[in-house]
Amino acid sequence: MRPLIGIPTAPFRHVYSERALADMDKESLAYFWLLSVLTEKIISCVREAGGLPLPLTATDDAAEIKTIVSKLDGFVFAGGSDISPALYGAEDKGSIAPNIERDRFELALCREVLEKERPLLGICRGCQLLNVALGGSLAQHLPALNESWKLHSRPDVVKGYVHDVNILTPQIFPGHNGKRLKVNSMHHQAVESLGHGAEAAARTEDGIIEALWLPEAKYAVGVQWHPECLAGEDGVQASLFKAVVDKARG
């Protein structure tokens, strides 16, 4: 039986549903186009890994969230806009276009997923979301902390590699025998303090946490890069989707 894999995302905000296309600014349209592309790639990767993907949109109904988790076998939390700093007790220091409706939904969903011990994979924002759900914090704008960290925001290199990460937890990267892994990079935020129970699974040479995991969970892994863009030609990246689907099947 193919497991059902929920994919929370926001390819288009509800507030825009009554607006004409001509009234949308180019920046918003470019963002939603990129998010739609990345979501479709995740859907394809989940299918290729043997799962049945099911995109999920925001709700503030707690009963509905519980029903979603009870019906689905696993989850992949996708990328997107920055998480509102207020949700991890911080002032705004460079977060971009938070979508509070999506933030509240996905945080509530993530916590329910963890409580019910469903396997999950968090990608980019999804990695950050997992950390916030566990009580951790985020560095809101990496270049403000270190000028050299601006290299992490490279949305122009979607299918290529930008930098290496040092692997600290080999078991979450099945099929990879080395200590370093090449990744793409499309983020300006990153995990700062780790949430309760989380451990770093990969870091850059200069110390940025690029992956985290919960050793005590059935399967809860977050990666800061976008494996969905690399999985077609990179078996290690594809194995991240296979791992969460296999855990969901079990």
Side-chain angles (χ1 to χ4, degrees), residues 32-94:
F32 289 119
W33 173 253
L34 176 62
L35 185 57
S36 296
V37 168
L38 296 177
T39 301
E40 175 55 33
K41 288 181 180 293
I42 292 173
I43 288 170
S44 297
C45 287
V46 167
R47 282 202 179 104
E48 185 66 25
L52 290 173
L54 182 65
L56 304 171
T57 54
T59 177
D60 60 2
D61 187 324
E64 186 175 338
I65 290 171
K66 288 182 178 296
T67 299
I68 289 169
V69 176
S70 71
K71 299 293 185 183
L72 303 186
D73 304 301
F75 294 82
V76 178
F77 287 82
S81 56
D82 295 338
I83 298 164
S84 172
L87 295 175
Y88 49 92
E91 297 179 358
D92 190 335
K93 297 181 180 178

Side-chain angles (χ1 to χ4, degrees), residues 45 82-83 89 93 104 110 117 134 144 168 173 184-185 192 201 203 205-206 208-209 240:
C45 287
D82 295 338
I83 298 164
K93 297 181 180 178
R104 288 174 175 162
C110 186
E117 298 187 331
L134 294 166
L168 307 177
F173 302 104
N184 55 13
S185 197
E192 189 173 53
R203 289 183 183 267
E205 195 68 40
D206 51 11
I208 293 176
I209 295 174
L240 289 167

Side-chain angles (χ1 to χ4, degrees), residues 31 77-108 110-111 122-141 187-192 212 224:
Y31 165 75
F77 287 82
S81 56
D82 295 338
I83 298 164
S84 172
L87 295 175
Y88 49 92
E91 297 179 358
D92 190 335
K93 297 181 180 178
S95 292
I96 299 173
N99 180 343
I100 195 66
E101 181 184 29
R102 183 184 181 191
D103 290 347
R104 288 174 175 162
F105 164 60
E106 292 189 3
L107 278 173
C110 186
R111 287 168 176 150
I123 295 173
C124 196
R125 167 195 158 91
C127 175
Q128 298 165 11
L129 183 96
L130 173 59
N131 191 57
V132 171
L134 294 166
S137 64
L138 305 178
Q140 293 185 45
H141 189 57
H187 64 102
H188 79 112
Q189 296 197 337
V191 170
E192 189 173 53
L212 59 82
Q224 187 59 72

Side-chain angles (χ1 to χ4, degrees), residues 127-234:
C127 175
Q128 298 165 11
L129 183 96
L130 173 59
N131 191 57
V132 171
L134 294 166
S137 64
L138 305 178
Q140 293 185 45
H141 189 57
L142 294 175
L145 303 175
N146 185 326
E147 181 68 19
S148 67
W149 287 348
K150 64 184 180 182
L151 69 85
H152 288 273
S153 184
R154 291 295 306 276
D156 56 313
V157 190
V158 174
K159 296 187 70 174
Y161 299 104
V162 173
H163 62 75
D164 292 347
V165 299
N166 295 323
I167 295 174
L168 307 177
T169 310
Q171 58 265 44
I172 71 170
F173 302 104
H176 185 66
N177 298 319
K179 296 181 179 180
R180 295 169 71 85
L181 182 67
K182 291 186 178 299
V183 300
N184 55 13
S185 197
M186 290 183 274
H187 64 102
H188 79 112
Q189 296 197 337
V191 170
E192 189 173 53
S193 62
L194 284 162
H196 179 71
E199 295 183 5
R203 289 183 183 267
T204 59
E205 195 68 40
D206 51 11
I208 293 176
I209 295 174
E210 285 279 337
L212 59 82
W213 72 311
L214 273 69
E216 301 303 318
K218 180 177 181 180
Y219 186 84
V221 170
V223 296
Q224 187 59 72
W225 62 92
H226 287 265
E228 71 273 26
C229 299
L230 304 171
E233 299 176 358
D234 187 328

